[in-house]
């Protein structure tokens, strides 16, 4: 769809790992009739592609070349989430492996990778009617969005939530391992030179520690009514 008079402005949601951005953002998008884009999946796809091609993820030049050669596309799935293809193959199910988790912050810190991803994200944002979730959406990708949300929660709360998800799917992982891997990622994401994780100056910061999933979705829906 090209930009039309009826297209409504894009909405930005940022926050640290496991802050609930993706699950909340997806449900919120359904509520307000928007598309949803989890931009973390795009950096994960670049990581998966680099690893598949035997690229050392700490070699930023090699990572950049692999990203330039990668053909990827993002589509909507039937549950309001995203499907990612790399060189024609649907790789969505590979993108949350521990191997990708452990390497994605290094890949996402490479400037050339960010240029490629941000260009595609801005193209999609230009179509309007989209909730975009990531780390730099409100600060870099669509700083003019009329609604910018920064979702956060304490590290321990986030680790407990992720641990519960793993247990529900029958995966046995130690809570402390989840906590340390998450904290490592947060540190890299928020201390990198290019587009570090931080709330935009005019973002609405929401601490979800003592809020339920539905309460957060309700709150975002109320905020959206103020601007749409
Ligand atoms: O949200 P996530 O855990 O799927 O993100 C994966 C990685 O990608 C994480 O290290 C942060 C990075 N990322 C980013 O740098 N910018 C974005 N807009 C989205 C994700």
């Amino acid at each position: 769809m090209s930009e039309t008079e009826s297209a409504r402005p894009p909405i930005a949601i940022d926050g640290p790992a496991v802050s609930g951005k993706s699950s909340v953002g997806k449900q919120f998008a359904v509520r307000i009739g928007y598309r949803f884009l989890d931009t973390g999946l795009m950096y994960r796809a670049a990581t998966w592609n680099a690893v598949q091609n035997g690229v050392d993820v700490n070699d930023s030049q090699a990572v950049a070349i692999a990203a330039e050669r990668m053909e990827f596309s993002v589509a909507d799935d039937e549950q309001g989430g995203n499907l990612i293809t790399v060189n024609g193959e649907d790789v969505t199910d590979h993108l949350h492996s521990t191997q990708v988790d452990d390497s994605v912050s290094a890949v996402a810190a490479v400037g050339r990778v960010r240029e490629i991803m941000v260009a595609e994200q801005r193209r999609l944002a230009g179509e309007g009617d989209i909730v975009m979730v990531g780390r730099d959406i409100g600060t870099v990708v669509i700083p003019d969005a009329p609604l910018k949300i920064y979702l956060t929660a304490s590290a321990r709360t986030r680790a407990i939530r992720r641990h519960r998800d793993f247990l529900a799917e029958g995966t046995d992982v130690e809570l402390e391992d989840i906590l340390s891997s998450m904290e490592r990622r947060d540190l890299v994401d928020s201390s990198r030179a290019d587009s570090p994780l931080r709330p935009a100056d005019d973002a609405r910061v929401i601490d979800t520690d003592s809020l339920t999933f539905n309460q957060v979705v309700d709150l975002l829906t109320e905020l959206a009514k103020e601007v749409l």
Side-chain angles (χ1 to χ4, degrees):
M1 185 181 81
S2 61
E3 195 158 11
T4 66
E5 280 183 342
S6 62
R8 292 169 295 168
I11 292 176
I13 304 182
D14 292 298
V18 204
S19 52
K21 307 179 300 286
S22 300
S23 45
V24 162
K26 200 190 300 182
Q27 189 57 35
F28 166 56
V30 169
R31 281 260 193 104
I32 62 172
Y34 266 37
R35 288 180 69 193
F36 169 75
L37 175 65
D38 178 357
T39 61
L41 291 178
M42 298 167 73
Y43 293 96
R44 288 174 178 274
T47 306
W48 181 84
N49 176 63
V51 170
Q52 284 301 106
N53 286 296
V55 169
D56 172 1
V57 294
N58 296 306
D59 177 345
S60 48
Q61 215 173 343
V63 167
I65 292 169
E68 279 168 356
R69 289 187 183 149
M70 173 178 91
E71 273 191 23
F72 72 98
S73 68
V74 187
D76 301 336
D77 73 13
E78 283 170 4
Q79 286 79 43
N82 300 125
L83 288 175
I84 307 274
T85 64
V86 169
N87 302 327
E89 182 192 350
D90 179 355
V91 299
T92 317
D93 287 345
H94 303 297
L95 300 182
H96 284 95
S97 64
T98 46
Q99 193 183 29
V100 171
D101 268 359
D102 290 343
S103 302
V104 66
S105 286
V107 171
V110 176
R112 180 67 190 128
V113 173
R114 303 202 69 81
E115 270 175 22
I116 294 168
M117 299 307 165
V118 169
E120 178 62 3
Q121 289 157 14
R122 287 192 177 137
R123 189 187 69 75
L124 291 164
E127 296 179 351
D129 290 87
I130 190 164
V131 170
M132 295 181 59
V133 168
R135 301 292 190 291
D136 61 340
I137 307 302
T139 51
V140 174
V141 180
I142 43 171
D144 295 334
L147 180 58
K148 292 171 221 160
I149 308 284
Y150 189 86
L151 280 190
T152 187
S154 70
R156 186 153 286 274
T157 301
R158 291 184 281 128
I160 290 170
R161 287 178 186 163
R162 176 51 58 90
H163 190 232
R164 216 181 289 143
D165 292 344
F166 274 127
L167 291 181
E169 68 186 34
T171 310
D172 189 14
V173 188
E174 292 292 327
L175 175 64
E176 294 308 317
D177 290 343
I178 296 173
L179 183 62
S180 56
S181 150
M182 215 182 62
E183 286 180 327
R184 223 175 15 250
R185 271 201 287 147
D186 284 349
L187 181 66
V188 180
D189 294 339
S190 52
S191 59
R192 68 180 178 222
D194 191 341
S195 318
L197 168 68
R198 66 168 181 83
D201 293 339
D202 54 349
R204 306 289 291 252
V205 178
I206 300 173
D207 184 336
T208 68
D209 258 8
S210 55
L211 296 175
T212 64
F213 177 85
N214 283 329
Q215 284 172 324
V216 181
V217 176
D218 288 347
L219 184 54
L220 298 196
T221 307
E222 285 307 308
L223 292 175
K225 278 189 198 147
E226 290 173 15
V227 298
L228 297 184

